[in-house]
Amino acid sequence: MPSVRRQLAAVTAVLALSVTGGAVTSPAFADPREIKKEAMAAGYGGAVSTVDPEASAAAIEVLRDGGNAADAAVAAAATLGVTEPYSAGVGGGGYFVFYDAKTGKVGTIDGRETAPATMPTTAFVNPATGVVYTFAELVSSGVSVGVPGTPATWERALERWGTLDLDEALEPAIKVANRGFVVDETFRQQTLDNKVRFSAFPATASLFLPGGDAPAVGSIFHSKDLAKTYRLLAKDGTDAFYGGQLATEIAATVKDPPKDPAWVPPVTVPPTSIPALPGYLTTADLAAYRTLDQEPTHVEYRGYDVYGMAPSSSGGTTVGEALNILEPFDLSPTAKPAALHHYLEASALAFADRAKYLGDPAFADVPTEALTDPVFGKERACAIDPGTAAIKPVPAGDVASYDGACTVSPAAAADEKDTENISTTNLTVADKWGNVVEYTLTIEQTGGSGIVVPGRGFLLNNELTDFSYTSTNPEDPNRIEQGKRPRSSMSPTIILKDEKPFLALGSPGGSTIITTLLQTILNRVDLGMSILDSLAAPRASQRNTANVTAEPDFIKAYGDALAPYGHKLVPAGDAFTSAAEIGAATAIEFGPGNSMTAVAEPLRRGGGAAMVVKPSR
Ligand code: GLU
């Protein structure tokens, strides 16, 4: 075991860091108020970007003390479990992508939640009416809770690539959970957005609605129960999560969600019903959970090697296919509307194929190779009219028969209703040895199922609503099946140039994750924008629907120029969130001489936190 653990303890008391201007300048970890957010930090020796300064500081602390990128990523993720409990945490799942500087290879861990072994395919149908429950009914229930994969992901990542043990990697998070963090606008707003359903579950209300209201901006939020849960994992490893008393409590909570029997909705408009349906997850499901080591997806785009997450996520294949579709076109910053038109059309085509072919490959025959084949992409590119947007939904391509020529007739149309939400969190870490992590983790909806395991300080996910639960089609690769992983859109991506890291990036945002990744790559690679501008630029998302959802600034900037193509832009946003934002990405770009530029969102979600170990002077 390395000596990092003792060093970390010392750092806690004395040296800890604060960050201003992207530079580590003065001791402050003891006082959360002093940690500032910066959207960009350039330098050497390691870098991190997350949506949260506490999580980024935790990663920097680990890197400074000799930990590597995998160690720092787990430390940051665990800290996000404290400060971003509505988007991340041990009650959820995610995908971890690692570039190993020693081997030059990219490897991935699929830590997706799974459906319980006894979950019936009709679990989302009301037996009394034969009608599928509404999303609102399913989301705050036990029935949408999948077997969490996050603790196992942390353990596997450390075992495979890290140098720390789990107890060491959890130390910064335990510290933040105990001493508390400062409530910001985003945390308060996310709590308010969930206030009604949180109030139905006493364990959730007592944690997140102290005194019946969302915590005030500027107050200190403590997570003592979560600190205890982390300490249990630190002491006994993840066996204490997938077995033992905690596993028993998780299963009991899912089976009989602890809703206040006297609860009545505090508001009647809109009408709110929380039946808190019982779920199927058992202690046997927890004991049987395994992460999967997976090969990444790979496509070449304009001389870059783009590695992504293979199914059960649709991220790697859909981003990869769309890039293959764009490859034959000359996209230039001097003809931006044309470039954006091609981006929107390529995305729609790739989403058509995602809907038809993507699901858990353990259950469905997913044509990953064809979908990321440049010949298939070239053939799909034939469907793009350079002057006119196609009528949506566009049909899927035929993966069984393609040759790159513009003659093959497409397979039947496949459209779908999208219920994924814009929660989740993402982080990027690099170390001084050149290892890189891109990690996206989630509990699905912002606030997950809304159900806290009593006394344990974390929310359970509602990831199973990522199944196409309204589908009765036995051919649907993403239909509910026992022990299956619901299709994800998470797209942690690492891009190499000449076999060395060039850019690592990822984002939250449900299915808009895919378009956020795509648009950011387009901005950086084709439109020549800086990585900060690429990430900050206003976004639009075409997921094979009649309208393009877009941020207000995108509509302002490009609405008129895209109208002649036939693109109809409508403001992003949904019934569950108050913001019309798309994504909240993080990235690190690698420059000459081991230099690194970490970037985070300047504004979305209140801005993220980019940091480096040694800032450039
Ligand atoms: N559940 C979504 C997925 O796995 C992520 C949720 C989100 O980003 O809001 O793709």
Side-chain angles (χ1 to χ4, degrees):
M1 186 185 297
S3 61
V4 176
R5 178 181 193 164
R6 275 165 300 283
Q7 292 174 9
L8 282 179
V11 163
T12 308
V14 196
L15 233 195
L17 51 138
S18 96
V19 175
T20 52
V24 178
T25 52
S26 63
F29 216 145
D31 183 353
R33 282 161 224 266
E34 290 181 36
I35 303 181
K36 296 243 166 37
K37 293 188 217 174
E38 294 294 337
M40 187 168 99
Y44 300 85
V48 59
S49 179
T50 79
V51 297
D52 178 71
E54 300 273 15
S56 294
I60 290 288
E61 181 181 348
V62 169
L63 292 172
R64 296 191 122 204
D65 287 300
N68 72 10
D71 302 324
V74 173
T79 307
L80 288 169
V82 179
T83 57
E84 292 275 311
Y86 306 145
S87 304
V90 290
Y95 298 94
F96 194 105
V97 179
F98 186 80
Y99 169 78
D100 186 335
K102 262 202 208 111
T103 62
K105 297 250 177 303
V106 177
T108 79
I109 298 170
D110 176 332
R112 185 67 160 169
E113 298 91 331
T114 62
T118 55
M119 181 178 189
T121 53
T122 54
F124 288 171
V125 178
N126 183 340
T129 60
V131 175
V132 176
Y133 290 108
T134 63
F135 182 75
E137 286 169 327
L138 290 172
V139 69
S140 308
S141 78
V143 76
S144 65
V145 180
V147 187
T150 291
T153 304
W154 295 351
E155 188 164 69
R156 181 66 188 138
L158 292 175
E159 175 185 271
R160 205 169 156 197
W161 298 304
T163 68
L164 298 185
D165 289 332
L166 185 60
D167 59 336
E168 299 168 306
L170 290 176
E171 274 188 28
I174 292 172
K175 191 167 57 191
V176 175
N178 274 326
R179 71 110 157 88
F181 64 90
V182 181
V183 171
D184 63 8
E185 294 281 358
T186 306
F187 186 84
R188 177 168 167 83
Q189 189 55 53
Q190 288 180 340
T191 311
L192 289 174
D193 289 344
N194 281 287
K195 189 174 169 185
V196 171
R197 67 193 192 115
F198 281 2
S199 72
F201 300 100
T204 310
S206 75
L207 180 58
F208 294 123
L209 300 170
D213 194 11
V217 173
S219 64
I220 304 289
F221 189 91
H222 294 95
S223 315
K224 300 280 183 194
D225 286 348
L226 182 59
K228 267 190 260 153
T229 299
Y230 278 172
R231 256 192 252 114
L232 177 69
L233 296 185
K235 187 162 102 8
D236 296 340
T238 61
D239 286 354
F241 185 94
Y242 292 102
Q245 179 60 25
L246 176 52
T248 302
E249 289 173 30
I250 293 171
T253 304
V254 173
K255 187 163 178 224
D256 187 11
K259 189 181 149 191
D260 175 359
W263 182 81
V264 283
V267 288
T268 49
V269 181
T272 309
S273 149
I274 299 184
L277 305 160
Y280 296 90
L281 187 152
T282 64
T283 53
D285 291 314
L286 285 159
Y289 185 84
R290 297 290 178 272
T291 58
L292 302 170
D293 291 351
Q294 297 239 66
E295 289 301 316
T297 57
H298 171 242
V299 301
E300 267 181 62
Y301 184 63
R302 309 208 193 284
Y304 295 91
D305 288 288
V306 181
Y307 292 92
M309 197 63 224
S312 55
S313 181
S314 62
T317 57
T318 313
V319 171
E321 181 188 346
L323 291 174
N324 281 338
I325 295 171
L326 289 174
E327 177 83 31
F329 300 103
D330 188 12
L331 308 175
S332 140
T334 55
K336 223 169 175 185
L340 290 169
H341 163 69
H342 283 80
Y343 150 66
L344 295 172
E345 294 298 276
S347 177
L349 290 163
F351 266 84
D353 295 328
R354 170 185 178 273
K356 188 170 176 74
Y357 298 116
L358 254 293
D360 181 348
F363 290 77
D365 193 8
V366 183
T368 299
E369 215 173 294
L371 291 171
T372 51
D373 183 344
V375 179
F376 181 67
K378 190 167 166 226
E379 185 165 307
R380 295 291 280 147
C382 300
I384 297 186
D385 179 331
T388 310
I391 293 173
K392 314 292 184 314
V394 293
D398 188 352
V399 292
S401 152
Y402 63 89
D403 59 8
C406 292
T407 49
V408 177
S409 49
D415 193 19
E416 61 171 20
K417 192 127 184 47
D418 194 339
T419 59
E420 290 175 34
N421 234 276
I422 52 167
S423 53
T424 303
T425 195
N426 183 82
L427 59 99
T428 314
V429 187
D431 64 31
K432 63 181 172 193
W433 298 282
N435 303 302
V436 184
V437 171
E438 193 62 45
Y439 182 26
T440 315
L441 63 163
T442 187
I443 58 172
E444 215 297 294
Q445 185 80 6
T446 303
S449 64
I451 302 170
V452 165
V453 181
R456 301 297 192 163
F458 65 91
L459 284 155
L460 292 166
N461 69 82
N462 66 294
E463 212 68 55
L464 302 184
T465 57
D466 274 1
F467 283 121
S468 24
Y469 60 84
T470 54
S471 171
T472 49
N473 176 5
E475 302 293 307
D476 183 342
N478 190 38
R479 68 188 182 280
I480 298 172
E481 291 181 85
Q482 296 174 339
K484 187 176 181 178
R485 294 173 187 221
R487 182 188 62 210
S488 171
S489 300
M490 290 189 270
S491 310
T493 302
I494 294 180
I495 303 177
L496 309 186
K497 174 82 175 158
D498 302 328
E499 298 176 9
K500 293 273 173 259
F502 163 66
L503 180 64
L505 71 168
S507 177
S511 54
T512 67
I513 293 172
I514 292 167
T515 56
T516 293
L517 266 281
L518 206 50
Q519 194 176 349
T520 308
I521 295 170
L522 176 90
N523 288 343
R524 180 69 192 92
V525 171
D526 295 283
L527 304 184
M529 294 161 70
S530 73
I531 185 58
L532 182 60
D533 290 348
S534 299
L535 207 92
R539 299 192 177 115
S541 181
Q542 170 48 278
R543 288 161 287 160
N544 202 19
T545 53
N547 297 328
V548 176
T549 53
E551 294 177 324
D553 283 352
F554 186 94
I555 298 176
K556 222 184 286 161
Y558 305 109
D560 288 349
L562 287 170
Y565 292 90
H567 294 291
K568 288 185 215 96
L569 307 183
V570 297
D574 60 34
F576 294 94
T577 49
S578 40
E581 296 174 348
I582 297 178
T586 69
I588 297 175
E589 182 166 317
F590 301 86
N594 299 324
S595 62
M596 304 171 184
T597 303
V599 293
E601 292 289 350
L603 292 175
R604 295 178 183 96
R605 278 212 202 176
M611 299 181 186
V612 292
V613 172
K614 286 187 211 142
S616 307
R617 300 266 160 230

